[in-house]
Amino acid sequence: MRKTNNIILETAVKVLLFFIALYSVYIFTAGHYYPGGGFIGGLMTAGAIVLLLITYDIKTVTKILPVNYRILTAIGLLFAIGTSAGSLIYDLPFLTHAFGDVHLPLLGELSIHTATLFDLGVYFVVVGVTMTIIQTIGEDE
Amino acid sequence: MTNLIILPILIPLFTGVVLIFLNKRITGQRVVAIFSSIGTMIAAGVIVQKVRTDGIQSLNVSSWDAPFGITLVSDMFSALLVLITSIIAFACLIYSFKSIGQEREKYYYYAVFNFLLVGVNGAFTTGDIFNLFVFFEVMLMSSYVLLVLGGTKIQLRESIKYLLVNVISSALFVVAVAYLYSVVGTLNMAHISSRINEISVNGMPGILTVIAVLFLIVFGLKGAIFPLYFWMPGSYYAPPAPVLTLFGALLTKVGVYSITRTYTLFFYHDMDAFGILTILAILSIVFGVIGAIAYWDIKNIIIYNIIIAVGVILYGVSVLNTASLTGAVYYLIHDMLIKAALFLLVGIVITITGTSNLRNISGLITRYPGLGWTFFIAALALAGIPPLSGFVGKLLIVQGGFEGESFIGGFITLMSSLLVLFSVMKIFINGFWGKDRTYGGEEKAPVKQLLIAPAILVAISALYGIGSEFILPYISQAADTLLNPKLYIDAVLKE
């Protein structure tokens, strides 16, 4: 239930949101060579969603992004465990990462390191945990 | 298989994550949890055998060589503790099925339970001081959740205290690690040990004694030794029985393990620090005994017995000779088993009677003979009556104390047994003998099913005492590594 008319805020957020989201993805992907990585990237993505929460209410945001953040956290943990336990199959020590050139259908040749997937897990966990905290406090009567 | 020693950490971690997906399906959660618990026990047993035959196992995580990456090390001491942890976790799990209640089970109880095991097993296995801190935090955060889960008034109040104390002690831990890092410039425990050995050829530098005492304060806060146990009686009073069992049997023992590990591996030159440890250990015994005698509350009596046991074990460590260290390892394992059994039994008594005040309980043995005699055996084992498990450990600690000419400590350890026996017999005589009464929770309590878990633990502890001839080679191998840090360093740094 919103009483006042927040048109300036709403319009500004519609524009800004994409920049924040893009920048968070940039920070996440640049983590190996420049400052950044999964943690700060995830935090910034969560920040974008929080901005959305401030502008609209919880119901609208869950309609826009129908994500169960607890499950997202668990999926992130599975990514992290999976990439680090993958080395068990090759009988190498736990957390040994692999890298190589992979041919992907749309992007072509890419040099990919499994540490990125581990970082993706961190990213999901950070987004999931931050949003769970904010949502549970926000929904609390 | 190279990754064997990480399995007791990895299996509960994976299980905990899977259980998050299953949070509304209680039966599914139980099945997954029980299978993973059995898997962890098997893995831990295999590790103990492997260490017995092939010596200390180490794993350089992510293929970086020893001082530069994180190393996991399983010597006999940590392998045995991981095995006992898995057994106690299994017992707590089957006890939880009947007692914890659906409300808690739906709110990630089993997931957090498994994360706690990740922390405990990790803390026992790691070979890196900062990684030890991280596993401490994993363990502590899970314990905060387990303590507060349910949200009754007493739980909320006590978890605030518990949280404050542990946040402060964790901050001190970081400071202590920072000091140590600035002195030796490494975090790998074997490497720290060899560096400290290099710089203390002309006597221990004063700063290292300061760091040793700082570590004693940090781990003493976690492990509840004499002036630092003030948070424990209140905090452990709050949670339900299976959680209390996990706390009482595992959490303080991780502190004890850490003191033992850091003092035998890093600071074994430092007689000043060992002197302080001896005094604090003896005072823990004295103050624990006073608490155990004073209370008429069954939970409090057993809680104060934890402090006594911590004192006895650390006294054994502080004397630092073969007999006392063997005794300390033996007693540590015995104490984990028997404390778990006692807390579970106390939990059953409280479910039946609805109170923990000993004055309102009597005559339980007429209708619950199984419960009564299990408690009796557990009480005798706790005090250290010869065929049972408490005997050998305490005998060796006392022998070590007298060999090390620490007569006061040895004498106090001996006398404490008598008063420990008095404190638990007080529960037995007042609670189980006497006039038969009827209680509120009697119909609802599934006593027979609940009794399975403590009965298993008491049986294991009895076998542990009777079969001490068979077990002693394992224990003395553990004490051997503690007494000769060279073995540990060589196994990790491979020079």
Side-chain angles (χ1 to χ4, degrees):
Chain A
M1 219 182 81
R2 303 195 315 283
K3 282 173 194 152
T4 48
N5 199 343
N6 281 332
I7 188 125
I8 295 174
L9 180 65
E10 281 172 22
T11 318
V13 164
K14 272 176 201 160
V15 180
L16 277 177
L17 199 66
F18 289 100
F19 287 105
I20 300 173
L22 263 180
Y23 192 61
S24 78
V25 171
Y26 164 72
I27 288 256
F28 165 67
T29 46
H32 199 77
Y33 297 105
Y34 303 101
F39 183 78
I40 183 90
L43 219 49
M44 202 172 279
T45 308
I49 304 173
V50 169
L51 192 60
L52 214 54
L53 272 173
I54 291 172
T55 324
Y56 303 95
D57 54 326
I58 287 185
K59 257 187 199 156
T60 324
V61 176
T62 35
K63 215 174 182 180
I64 300 168
L65 291 168
V67 182
N68 182 342
Y69 291 105
R70 294 180 200 182
I71 299 291
L72 188 69
T73 313
I75 290 170
L77 283 170
L78 275 187
F79 263 93
I81 299 171
T83 47
S84 39
S87 57
L88 261 66
I89 301 166
Y90 302 100
D91 203 32
L92 288 164
F94 185 76
L95 262 171
T96 305
H97 284 288
F99 59 93
D101 295 322
V102 187
H103 189 80
L104 291 173
L106 277 174
L107 303 164
E109 286 285 322
L110 269 181
S111 173
I112 285 182
H113 199 289
T114 49
T116 317
L117 283 174
F118 187 92
D119 227 20
L120 190 66
V122 176
Y123 178 86
F124 283 154
V125 170
V126 171
V127 173
V129 168
T130 320
M131 291 317 297
T132 309
I133 292 171
I134 288 168
Q135 267 193 347
T136 40
I137 294 173
E139 281 169 352
D140 205 27
E141 292 294 310
Chain B
M1 184 176 163
T2 43
N3 285 297
L4 182 64
I5 67 173
I6 205 169
L7 286 182
I9 307 170
L10 194 58
I11 295 173
L13 179 61
F14 185 69
T15 317
V17 175
V18 169
L19 290 178
I20 295 177
F21 290 104
L22 295 172
N23 74 318
K24 295 284 177 255
R25 299 185 189 158
I26 292 172
T27 326
Q29 287 196 50
R30 289 177 175 178
V31 171
V32 172
I34 202 88
F35 273 110
S36 91
S37 181
I38 293 170
T40 317
M41 268 200 291
I42 294 169
V46 173
I47 293 169
V48 168
Q49 246 347 296
K50 179 99 175 154
V51 175
R52 176 80 188 130
T53 50
D54 301 352
I56 300 170
Q57 299 292 307
S58 76
L59 168 69
N60 291 324
V61 170
S62 77
S63 310
W64 294 101
D65 281 340
F68 306 113
I70 289 172
T71 313
L72 298 178
V73 187
S74 239
D75 63 346
M76 189 46 102
F77 188 36
S78 52
L80 282 173
L81 289 177
V82 168
L83 178 61
I84 299 300
T85 304
S86 327
I87 292 170
I88 290 170
F90 178 74
C92 281
L93 198 65
I94 54 177
Y95 187 91
S96 299
F97 291 166
K98 286 290 162 197
S99 79
I100 200 74
Q102 291 204 348
E103 279 308 303
R104 287 192 170 93
E105 283 178 310
K106 277 186 187 161
Y107 276 90
Y108 306 101
Y109 173 77
Y110 295 118
V112 182
F113 185 101
N114 275 290
F115 289 135
L116 184 86
L117 294 181
V118 174
V120 174
N121 285 344
F124 286 147
T125 314
T126 187
D128 182 284
I129 195 81
F130 198 75
N131 202 227
L132 180 68
F133 169 76
V134 173
F135 277 122
F136 257 104
E137 287 306 301
V138 171
M139 173 185 93
L140 287 172
M141 274 180 217
S142 321
S143 73
Y144 303 149
V145 178
L146 285 179
L147 185 60
V148 83
L149 195 67
T152 58
K153 198 175 168 190
I154 179 174
Q155 282 180 305
L156 292 173
R157 188 184 67 216
E158 294 304 333
S159 43
I160 288 175
K161 286 188 205 165
Y162 182 73
L163 223 153
L164 271 177
V165 167
N166 279 302
V167 166
I168 291 168
S169 79
S170 297
L172 276 177
F173 194 172
V174 176
V175 173
V177 170
Y179 276 151
L180 188 62
Y181 185 69
S182 67
V183 174
V184 296
T186 177
L187 290 171
N188 183 296
M189 278 156 54
H191 203 211
I192 291 173
S193 174
S194 63
R195 286 248 168 112
I196 288 181
N197 198 20
E198 280 165 29
I199 53 180
S200 49
V201 268
N202 304 320
M204 199 85 163
I207 184 74
L208 281 173
T209 309
V210 173
I211 294 168
V213 173
L214 202 53
F215 270 115
L216 186 60
I217 293 170
V218 168
F219 296 135
L221 263 168
K222 317 262 184 200
I225 63 173
F226 156 61
L228 307 167
Y229 68 81
F230 54 87
W231 55 273
M232 199 179 82
S235 299
Y236 281 20
Y237 197 82
V243 176
L244 171 61
T245 310
L246 277 181
F247 285 16
L250 303 179
L251 296 198
T252 50
K253 303 305 181 292
V254 180
V256 173
Y257 165 83
S258 309
I259 293 177
T260 312
R261 179 64 79 202
T262 47
Y263 271 63
T264 54
L265 189 59
F266 300 168
F267 307 118
Y268 54 93
H269 303 281
D270 194 342
M271 283 308 125
D272 299 336
F274 270 95
I276 296 170
L277 183 60
T278 314
I279 294 165
L280 292 186
I282 292 171
L283 285 174
S284 306
I285 300 175
V286 173
F287 279 77
V289 161
I290 292 172
I293 300 171
Y295 279 96
W296 275 83
D297 188 296
I298 44 179
K299 262 194 204 173
N300 269 334
I301 293 173
I302 312 291
I303 288 170
Y304 275 96
N305 268 301
I306 298 177
I307 302 169
I308 305 173
V310 167
V312 170
I313 296 160
L314 287 180
Y315 173 70
V317 172
S318 75
V319 175
L320 204 68
N321 57 32
T322 316
S324 79
L325 270 178
T326 316
V329 177
Y330 197 97
Y331 197 81
L332 178 57
I333 291 167
H334 143 79
D335 189 65
M336 289 167 83
L337 282 171
I338 211 71
K339 282 284 150 50
L342 278 170
F343 277 122
L344 292 176
L345 289 166
V346 162
I348 299 175
V349 172
I350 292 172
T351 345
I352 294 170
T353 61
T355 175
S356 60
N357 188 341
L358 199 49
R359 290 204 171 86
N360 297 334
I361 306 169
S362 69
L364 281 174
I365 205 153
T366 43
R367 264 169 302 152
Y368 305 103
L371 177 65
W373 293 117
T374 317
F375 187 89
F376 183 69
I377 298 170
L380 290 187
L382 180 72
I385 305 294
L388 295 163
S389 62
F391 174 67
V392 186
K394 208 169 256 181
L395 178 74
L396 285 168
I397 289 176
V398 172
Q399 185 195 334
F402 287 152
E403 276 172 13
E405 302 194 338
S406 163
F407 295 108
I408 301 170
F411 183 71
I412 287 177
T413 311
L414 269 182
M415 290 316 291
S416 74
S417 294
L418 203 60
L419 296 168
V420 165
L421 185 64
F422 170 72
S423 71
V424 275
M425 277 304 131
K426 189 164 86 178
I427 301 178
F428 184 70
I429 290 171
N430 290 293
F432 287 90
W433 289 355
K435 195 162 66 63
D436 200 9
R437 297 194 201 185
T438 48
Y439 302 99
E442 222 160 347
E443 285 81 38
K444 280 180 280 174
V447 176
K448 285 228 167 63
Q449 286 107 311
L450 287 177
L451 199 56
I452 298 170
I456 292 171
L457 289 177
V458 170
I460 292 172
S461 131
L463 286 177
Y464 182 63
I466 295 163
S468 52
E469 199 67 21
F470 168 72
I471 289 158
L472 217 52
Y474 292 85
I475 308 283
S476 35
Q477 192 186 349
D480 226 30
T481 328
L482 292 178
L483 214 54
N484 303 312
K486 194 99 182 49
L487 294 175
Y488 187 96
I489 297 168
D490 287 347
V492 176
L493 297 180
K494 301 196 173 70
E495 279 161 357

